[in-house]
Amino acid sequence: MPTVIRKRQNCGLNTTFMSRCASRELRESCLTPDQFHSHFWCCFTLQNWLLDIGRPVIMIFCPLDWFPLNKPSAADYFHMLYNITTPLLLLKLMERSPKTLPRSAMYLCIITFVMGSSIHLMGESINQRLLISGYQTHLTLRENPIIKRLTPHTLIDSFELLQYYDESLGHFMWYVPLFLILFLYFTGCFTIVKAEEKMPVSAWLLLGPSGLYYWYLVTEGQIFIPFIFTFFAMTATVLHQKRKGFLPDSNGLFLLYSFSISLFLVSVWVTCLWNDEVLRKKYPGVMYIPEPWALYTLHLRNKHTTLTD
């Protein structure tokens, strides 16, 4: 009987010790002097602009018909490089977190991210080659003239499966882990030092390009729901931590302001294109967020072709 009591006391002491260690770790992470990771955020924003936003720009100035259709194009190589550099940067982001993040969850997110972006690479590479044959991205798949002429008609189901891998499954496995990693990192970006609540000049300079990039992800990737849930989760975390006396540090404010700017830009984008009848047919319903590439192929591609000719 005394042995049982002694074991229970030891368990209680171990539990108390572990809770104290956890609380001490939390306090130390919050008391750590705030340091904005300007070098990391600059590299992360730059590679997103060059390798992600830069892909459709490369397709405009280096058309697909410059390359053999059975070989990767310049945009495909950009996408491959993006699939390599982004996971490395996300691992670096995990190392810079003031709070110890769950490694298993982070590694699982990065693996899923690589799978999703690779699926999107293959699907988009094939879909882009359909443009040479007259495929129109501002129309739905079954409304495209070249798809209607396919025989046998069972081939249409195969192209719908390809589009599902490209636009739905690929985007889901690509962007949801990305937003989850950013949110997990954000949960550790809090401090009790009020003087460290402001952002440095370098953060303000990167804020515009960062917010504009997330706008591109939401519109071109059609991922408004994961984005808005991540933004609401960030806002709820700020309110919850504020009750405990913690405030977002410069890195947390940078992420929160970037998402806020992106949400504002998405609202302006939707308002400007609200009455476009052609895009309305492709994006029916309340969740109306047209893709920039669809707008380009509908209104701007012919003008660009005329100017280059």
Side-chain angles (χ1 to χ4, degrees):
M1 193 68 179
T3 305
V4 176
I5 296 175
R6 193 179 298 111
K7 288 183 178 180
R8 291 180 178 177
Q9 289 176 348
N10 291 336
C11 291
L13 290 174
N14 291 335
T15 304
T16 305
F17 176 75
M18 292 175 63
S19 62
R20 288 179 178 177
C21 290
S23 61
R24 188 184 299 113
E25 181 183 357
L26 177 61
R27 287 197 301 269
E28 289 177 355
S29 64
C30 293
L31 288 172
T32 302
D34 180 26
Q35 182 180 2
F36 181 70
H37 307 311
S38 57
H39 182 264
F40 170 82
W41 291 118
C42 181
C43 293
F44 188 68
T45 305
L46 183 62
Q47 75 99 27
N48 286 334
W49 270 80
L50 289 178
L51 303 180
D52 199 3
I53 299 181
R55 284 186 292 109
V57 178
I58 287 294
M59 287 188 291
I60 294 175
F61 293 99
C62 296
L64 289 172
D65 50 9
W66 289 10
F67 304 88
L69 294 182
N70 59 348
K71 300 294 181 181
S73 65
D76 295 334
Y77 287 115
F78 269 56
H79 205 320
M80 296 177 193
L81 189 58
Y82 173 87
N83 293 357
I84 297 173
T85 58
T86 307
L88 293 176
L89 289 174
L90 293 177
L91 288 173
K92 292 295 182 181
L93 180 66
M94 181 178 67
E95 295 174 358
R96 284 168 169 76
S97 175
K99 184 180 72 172
T100 303
L101 301 177
R103 291 185 175 273
S104 298
M106 295 293 291
Y107 291 151
L108 182 61
C109 286
I110 292 176
I111 292 172
T112 308
F113 171 88
V114 174
M115 289 182 62
S117 58
S118 300
I119 291 173
H120 180 266
L121 165 62
M122 292 185 293
E124 185 184 51
S125 179
I126 297 173
N127 285 334
Q128 291 300 328
R129 279 150 180 77
L130 293 176
L131 295 174
I132 299 179
S133 302
Y135 187 84
Q136 302 177 34
T137 57
H138 59 274
L139 299 176
T140 61
L141 181 73
R142 291 186 177 271
E143 290 179 350
N144 266 271
I146 64 169
I147 300 298
K148 291 180 179 180
R149 293 194 298 265
L150 285 177
T151 54
H153 291 290
T154 53
L155 286 175
I156 300 179
D157 295 331
S158 300
F159 277 99
E160 282 189 332
L161 177 62
L162 175 66
Q163 188 180 50
Y164 170 76
Y165 276 117
D166 178 20
E167 300 293 338
S168 299
L169 184 62
H171 284 183
F172 180 83
M173 296 179 65
W174 179 0
Y175 294 122
V176 171
L178 175 63
F179 286 147
L180 183 57
I181 291 173
L182 293 177
F183 173 72
L184 290 175
Y185 171 79
F186 178 80
T187 57
C189 297
F190 287 88
T191 178
I192 60 175
V193 184
K194 293 185 178 180
E196 301 293 345
E197 188 183 358
K198 297 180 180 179
M199 293 197 308
V201 177
S202 58
W204 288 106
L205 293 176
L206 291 172
L207 192 60
S210 178
L212 192 59
Y213 172 70
Y214 291 122
W215 163 84
Y216 173 79
L217 287 188
V218 174
T219 53
E220 188 65 31
Q222 296 291 289
I223 51 165
F224 179 76
I225 293 179
F227 167 80
I228 198 65
F229 270 97
T230 305
F231 179 74
F232 285 157
M234 287 182 174
T235 305
T237 303
V238 171
L239 296 177
H240 177 69
Q241 294 291 344
K242 192 173 183 180
R243 295 178 181 176
K244 298 181 179 181
F246 301 143
L247 298 172
D249 62 10
S250 57
N251 295 286
L253 289 175
F254 177 75
L255 275 175
L256 188 63
Y257 290 167
S258 297
F259 274 57
S260 301
I261 291 175
S262 176
L263 183 60
F264 172 76
L265 293 176
V266 170
S267 302
V268 174
W269 174 261
V270 172
T271 302
C272 294
L273 300 176
W274 188 260
N275 295 322
D276 195 303
E277 297 180 357
V278 178
L279 293 177
R280 269 289 181 182
K281 293 181 180 180
K282 183 176 181 180
Y283 307 96
V286 180
M287 199 64 65
Y288 171 71
I289 302 178
E291 301 173 56
W293 188 252
L295 177 69
Y296 169 77
T297 56
L298 176 62
H299 297 296
L300 303 176
R301 185 170 61 177
N302 293 333
K303 295 181 181 179
H304 177 264
T305 304
T306 303
L307 290 175
T308 53
D309 292 341

